Amino acid sequence: MSEYQVLARKYRPKNFSELLGQTHVSQALSHAIDTGRLHHAYLFTGTRGVGKTTIARILAKCLNCETGITSTPCGVCDTCVSVDNGRFIDLIEIDAASRTKVEDTRDLLENVPYAPTQGRYKVYLIDEVHMLSTHSFNALLKTLEEPPEHVKFILATTDPQKLPITIVSRCLQFVLRPMSQALLHAHLAKILHAESIAHDDTALWQLAQSAKGSVRDALSLTDQAIAFGGGQVGADTVMEMLGLVDSLDVLDLVRDIYHDDRSGVARHIARMREQMVDATALLDRLVDSFHAMALVQILPDMPLDMNDEQKQAFYELARTLPADVIQLYYEISVKARDSVRLASTPMQALEMGILRLLAFRPLAGDEVVYQEPKAILNQQIDNPINQSLNDESLNDESLNDESLNDESLNDESLAISQNTEIVENYHQEIGNQEIGNQEIGNQEIGNQEIGNQEIGQAVNNSQSTNDIKPSGQITKEQLKNELMPQQVALAGEWTPEKWDYWVAVARREHKLDADELAMVSHAMMVGQIDGDCQLYVPEHNKQIFSSFKSFAKKFGQDFANGRLRDETLLLSQSEFAHLATPVQKQKQRDEQVLVIASNQLLNSPVLQSLYQDNFINDDNAITSVRLTLNE
C-alpha cells in the first residue's frame, strides 16, 4: 500500500495557472519572466497558507526549467520534478526562525558567489525572514542589494512590519491576499469531487469559514473531517469536530437576545454546553455577524462572503435590529472576547457576554426607564420615615392601633422632628395636594383645517386628576396596561387614536428603529388607512428625510392597500400644539398612571393609620413620629 499524501501537499499548485486567488502576483511574475525583466530579490508577505512558499517554488522552476526560462514550466523535466519533490540542489530553503544568528547568515553568504550546480540560478528562499536578528539583517544588506547575476533571493514573512525598511527597499514586494470563503468552498468541492469523497455543501462552507482565508488550513481541516467522518464530510460531523455552532444558529441566538426571549437564550446556552463548543470561536462569530449586519445596513450593496441561505438570514436580521443596537452588541461582544483570558473558563466569558447582550439595549428616542412610584418616593424623600415605611417588617398587620399608641411612644423613643423642606417634597411627590380643575388631555383638535384636510376630532380625555379613584389594589401589570393606548380597529380614516395605537404596536413589536420611532411619535398621519394618506411632521431635516424613506417601506408592509405619499408635509409648532401626537398622548397616560399610583399609595393602610393617629396633619405635614426602640 502506497503512503498516503495529505491534501495540502498533493494539491499544491505546480504552476501559475493552478495558483489559487493570487492573480495579481502570478500575472506580474509571468510578465516579468516573459519580458526578461527579472528582479534580483522578491518579498512575499501574507498570512499563513496563502501560497508564499508555493510561488517561490514555481518561480524557481520557471528560472531553471530545462525547456528554458519560461512562465509555464514543463513540470516533467528533471529540474521541475526535483523542485516539486524538494530535491533541487540550487533551491536553498532556509528557515529563519531556526537560524537567527549572524553566524548562520555569514555561512549562507559564503556560498553565494559560487555558480549553481544543477540549474541556471541559485534561488535562496528565506522563510519567516522577520525572525532574523538585527546583526543578521545588517550582514545581508550588501549582498541583497547587489547579488551575483546567478542568484535570486526570495524572502517570505507573515509579519512584514518587523522587517527593517532597508531590507524592504531592496526587494520587490508582493502582498498575498487571504482567500475568500466562496473561493475556498469551490476549491474544496473540486478536490473532494476528484477524490470521490461524499460531502455536504454546508460542511464545506463551515470548513471555508474556519480556515480564515488559508488554503492550507482549509485542506488540513478537510483531511481531519474525512478521517472524523469515516470517509465522508457532513455538516454535523464538521460542527462536532470543530466545536462550532452553525452561523444560522448564531443568528437565532441574536434574534432571541434582541426580542428578550430568555427561555430561548437558555436553550441556546444549554445546547452549547452539551456540544462543548469552542467559546472563543463562537465569540468570533458573534463579532463577525454584527460586523456583517452593520455593513449591509449602512452599505446595502456590500457583498457578503457566505452562501445564499446565510446571506438571506443576515439581511433579514439586519432589517430587524436598529443600527445603534448592532453597534452596542458589537462592542459588548468584542469586550467579551477580550475577557476570555481573564475568566475562569472560556465558556464563562461567553455566557457572561450573552447575559450582557440580553441585559443592555439602547433606549428609543421617546422611551424612558420605568420606575415604580415607590422607587421615585425613595429617591425624593430621604428621611427616616421613608425607611420605616419601606421596611418589610412594617406591614399592614404590624401598623395597627396597638403598635402605634400613646403608650408605645415613650420618652425613650427616637424623635423625628419636623422638616419643612422634606415635607414639601413629600407632599409634592405623593400627589396629595389639590390638583384643582386642571384636566389631563382635554386639548381640542376640533375642526382645524390643515392643507384642506380636517385632522382628527376633539380629544375626549377630559377626566380630571381628582376624578381618578382606583377601586381596590391595582397591580403592576394593570398599571402597565394603563400606559398602553386603547386597542382600536385600524380601518377607515386615520385618527389620533388609531395612529397612537399603531405607533405603540410598532414600538412593542420592534418594527421601527430608534430614529423612525422618534419621527412618527412626534408626527401625525392623516387620510385613509387603506387609501391615500400623508405624514405631517414638525420639522424637516436630513434625518427626517432618511428616517421617512426607511419608514415608508415598513409602513407599506403593514398596509398593503395604503398609498403613503412619498414626502412629508411640514407643520409649524403652533399648529402641532393642537394635535394629539403619540408622544403627547403617551405623556397624558404617564401622568394619569402617576396619579393613580399616588392615590393608591395615599389610600394604603400605612398612610391611613398615620393620618388617623395624627402623625400627618391636615396640611399633609409630618409633625412628629416616635418609633419605639425594641430592646
Side-chain angles (χ1 to χ4, degrees), residues 265-312:
V265 173
R267 288 193 297 271
H268 282 289
I269 293 178
R271 180 183 174 190
M272 289 186 291
R273 287 180 176 180
E274 180 182 353
Q275 295 181 349
M276 299 182 66
V277 300
D278 185 345
T280 304
L282 186 55
L283 284 171
D284 287 340
R285 290 210 171 180
L286 280 173
V287 172
D288 293 342
S289 298
F290 293 131
H291 169 250
M293 283 187 280
L295 279 178
V296 299
Q297 270 194 340
I298 308 301
L299 305 173
D301 296 330
M302 178 68 69
L304 294 179
D305 189 17
M306 55 187 68
N307 60 30
D308 294 337
E309 184 181 7
Q310 291 174 337
K311 287 180 184 178
Q312 184 64 27

Side-chain angles (χ1 to χ4, degrees), residues 291-548:
H291 169 250
M293 283 187 280
L295 279 178
V296 299
Q297 270 194 340
I298 308 301
L299 305 173
D301 296 330
M302 178 68 69
L304 294 179
D305 189 17
M306 55 187 68
N307 60 30
D308 294 337
E309 184 181 7
Q310 291 174 337
K311 287 180 184 178
Q312 184 64 27
F314 267 92
Y315 281 118
E316 290 180 359
L317 192 56
R319 286 192 291 266
T320 302
L321 269 65
D324 54 350
V325 172
I326 292 178
Q327 294 295 332
L328 176 64
Y329 284 176
Y330 178 83
E331 292 296 329
I332 293 176
S333 299
V334 169
K335 291 186 181 297
R337 184 176 59 182
D338 292 340
S339 67
V340 169
R341 59 186 179 85
L342 301 176
S344 299
T345 62
M347 182 58 69
Q348 183 187 80
L350 171 62
E351 293 179 5
M352 288 303 297
I354 293 175
L355 293 181
R356 282 196 292 272
L357 291 174
L358 196 62
F360 299 106
R361 66 178 179 84
L363 293 176
D366 57 344
E367 189 176 8
V368 296
V369 177
Y370 173 76
Q371 287 183 303
E372 298 181 7
K374 179 179 179 181
I376 298 175
L377 290 178
N378 288 344
Q379 295 175 6
Q380 298 294 331
I381 311 172
D382 187 15
N383 57 61
I385 183 64
N386 176 63
Q387 297 175 10
S388 300
L389 293 179
N390 289 328
D391 194 342
E392 294 180 358
S393 63
L394 297 180
N395 49 34
D396 295 342
E397 296 178 1
S398 63
L399 289 176
N400 50 35
D401 293 338
E402 294 180 2
S403 62
L404 290 174
N405 51 32
D406 294 337
E407 294 179 359
S408 63
L409 303 176
N410 49 44
D411 294 338
E412 297 179 355
S413 302
L414 175 65
I416 303 173
S417 61
Q418 179 178 4
N419 187 317
T420 305
E421 182 178 358
I422 294 177
V423 170
E424 291 176 354
N425 291 337
Y426 177 80
H427 162 266
Q428 179 180 2
E429 288 298 324
I430 63 177
N432 197 31
Q433 72 181 99
E434 186 69 18
I435 300 179
N437 294 324
Q438 179 184 5
E439 297 183 353
I440 298 175
N442 196 24
Q443 298 176 341
E444 284 287 334
I445 297 180
N447 294 322
Q448 178 185 7
E449 292 189 1
I450 300 176
N452 297 326
Q453 298 188 42
E454 295 186 358
I455 303 179
Q457 298 179 357
V459 180
N460 188 20
N461 294 328
S462 59
Q463 183 183 18
S464 69
T465 56
N466 289 334
D467 295 332
I468 300 177
K469 296 180 179 179
S471 58
Q473 293 292 321
I474 298 181
T475 65
K476 184 189 296 186
E477 291 299 325
Q478 290 173 324
L479 287 176
K480 287 183 179 180
N481 291 334
E482 290 292 330
L483 290 172
M484 292 295 296
Q486 297 273 340
Q487 184 175 357
V488 293
L490 295 179
E493 186 176 358
W494 280 111
T495 64
E497 290 75 19
K498 294 177 182 178
W499 179 241
D500 180 35
Y501 174 68
W502 184 84
V503 171
V505 172
R507 178 188 296 108
R508 184 175 64 245
E509 297 180 357
H510 306 287
K511 295 181 178 180
L512 307 177
D513 62 27
D515 292 335
E516 295 164 352
L517 270 177
M519 178 191 69
V520 299
S521 298
H522 292 82
M524 178 62 67
M525 184 70 74
V526 298
Q528 298 296 321
I529 294 178
D530 291 327
D532 294 328
C533 54
Q534 186 165 20
L535 187 69
Y536 289 80
V537 296
E539 61 177 334
H540 276 169
N541 53 50
K542 291 183 179 180
Q543 184 60 48
I544 290 293
F545 288 123
S546 176
S547 299
F548 177 76

